[in-house]
Amino acid sequence: MRFRSDPATIRGSIAPVVTPFTAEGAVDHDSLRALIRFQLESGSHGISLGGSTGEPSAQSVAERIAGMRTAADEIGERVPFLPGTGSHKLDETLAMTAAAQELGADAALVITPYYARPTQEALYRWYATVAREFPGLPIVAYNVPSRTAVDLAPETVRRLFTEFDNFVGVKETTKDFEHFSRILHACGRSLLVWSGIELLCLPLLALGGAGFVSAVANLAPAAVARMYEHWDAGDFDAARALHYGLHPLVDLLFVETNPAPAKWVLAQQGRIASAHVRPPLIPPTDAGLTRVRELLAAGGGLTAQIGGTA
């Protein structure tokens, strides 16, 4: 939890790792440990677990907490750990956030409650409740309207950021790039904003973003981390080269519903024991795999690069 006291240091590529399952569908903790080691060896600046790429809605609260425990143990204090602790139910959200705090997480990533389509006032009260309950834990809102059917407005973020010292940032997963700018304009540059949209990761840095939580880091963690580092060092041409080089892998992620294509690739590479996804998701179809192979051939060179070789 060494980053918890200074969340402004949580920057760069925060890899949102998939949740590996066995072929029979159980959470595969051995493969999860292997994935985290791969991320650390590749230079990812932080680890997240339990975001959309981690299939949280297909897991029980107990499974999600067990996954957090495995991840926290493997990470130690080497990089920041930002587990997803949100649910559509407040009691579950509080229970998982409490577990994250106990396990030493550096911040909690709390998704907007999905399906119910709460108003902005309701969203304010939701996050205010979480922030009050855990005053010593940095809280990061996770705004992903394509999955939740609700958009966390800049003014709501401003209220929370102004009123709660531990409400520190937002993971924005919206293709409306104006939204990124309006969030930072409303709150100021001290608000930490990470992009969850792969092709907006690099552009967000120009606005003052803190980094990104990009699913493509599952496949090419070194390239994604180096993209941030090149930008931070002022080597904008090198950063842009990686941004464009990652395009085929970004497209690969969404040939069919994420994370099924990524899990198939990771299983083919031997990084996880099985490509199993839980219902309602299904493995990639034959047609989908044809396209995945094409895109992997186009961008797969970046998947083999580890550490400083990207």
Side-chain angles (χ1 to χ4, degrees):
M1 66 177 72
R2 69 187 178 98
F3 303 93
R4 185 186 292 181
S5 62
D6 188 8
T9 61
I10 305 175
R11 294 180 175 273
S13 174
I14 312 300
V17 297
V18 303
T19 300
F21 300 122
T22 66
E24 294 72 33
V27 177
D28 182 353
H29 291 268
D30 289 338
S31 288
L32 178 58
R33 286 183 180 276
L35 281 182
I36 291 171
R37 287 194 294 270
F38 171 53
Q39 291 293 333
L40 295 174
E41 291 166 1
S42 299
S44 290
H45 306 117
I47 303 290
S48 183
L49 178 70
S52 301
T53 301
E55 298 174 76
S57 60
Q59 297 178 61
S60 68
V61 170
E63 285 177 319
R64 292 178 65 182
I65 291 174
M68 282 192 272
R69 183 173 294 109
T70 295
D73 181 65
E74 192 64 39
I75 295 165
E77 295 191 348
R78 288 178 284 181
V79 297
F81 178 39
L82 288 75
T85 64
S87 166
H88 65 297
K89 296 178 66 179
L90 184 59
D91 61 336
E92 292 181 353
T93 298
L94 295 176
M96 287 186 285
T97 306
Q101 179 173 252
E102 182 180 350
L103 290 167
D106 296 286
L109 187 63
V110 181
I111 196 169
T112 52
Y114 36 89
Y115 186 76
R117 301 184 71 179
T119 64
Q120 292 301 310
E121 179 62 26
L123 289 171
Y124 165 80
R125 295 185 189 185
W126 177 278
Y127 282 107
T129 299
V130 177
R132 287 193 190 100
E133 188 74 17
F134 306 100
L137 180 66
I139 302 299
V140 176
Y142 177 17
N143 187 38
V144 53
S146 65
R147 288 185 181 261
T148 64
V150 65
D151 195 7
L152 189 61
E155 178 57 27
T156 305
V157 175
R158 189 199 64 78
R159 287 180 68 190
L160 292 162
F161 185 59
T162 301
E163 295 179 24
F164 298 97
D165 290 340
N166 63 325
F167 185 92
V168 300
V170 184
K171 175 190 173 183
E172 281 290 351
T173 306
T174 171
K175 293 184 178 181
D176 178 3
F177 197 54
E178 285 191 8
H179 190 90
F180 289 81
S181 187
R182 294 188 184 282
I183 287 277
L184 284 161
H185 180 66
C187 299
R189 291 276 300 278
S190 55
L191 179 76
L192 302 172
V193 181
W194 296 268
S195 175
I197 296 292
E198 280 63 35
L199 297 186
L200 294 182
C201 287
L202 186 61
L204 175 61
L205 298 182
L207 298 180
F212 18 90
V213 188
S214 170
V216 79
N218 280 283
L219 302 182
V224 179
R226 295 299 89 74
M227 182 171 69
Y228 175 85
E229 291 169 5
H230 285 315
W231 177 273
D232 193 48
D235 192 349
F236 305 135
D237 286 341
R240 280 190 288 266
L242 284 170
H243 167 84
Y244 290 116
L246 285 164
H247 265 242
L249 298 180
V250 173
D251 292 343
L252 183 160
L253 293 175
F254 304 106
V255 165
E256 292 178 1
T257 306
N258 177 50
K263 280 189 155 184
W264 182 86
V265 173
L266 290 168
Q268 292 296 304
Q269 294 174 333
R271 299 200 183 280
I272 58 178
S274 166
H276 184 90
V277 289
R278 284 185 176 177
L281 299 185
I282 61 171
T285 63
D286 289 344
L289 287 179
T290 296
R291 183 60 177 150
V292 165
R293 290 186 180 98
E294 292 171 352
L295 292 165
L296 188 60
L302 292 180
T303 69
Q305 298 175 352
I306 296 179
T309 62

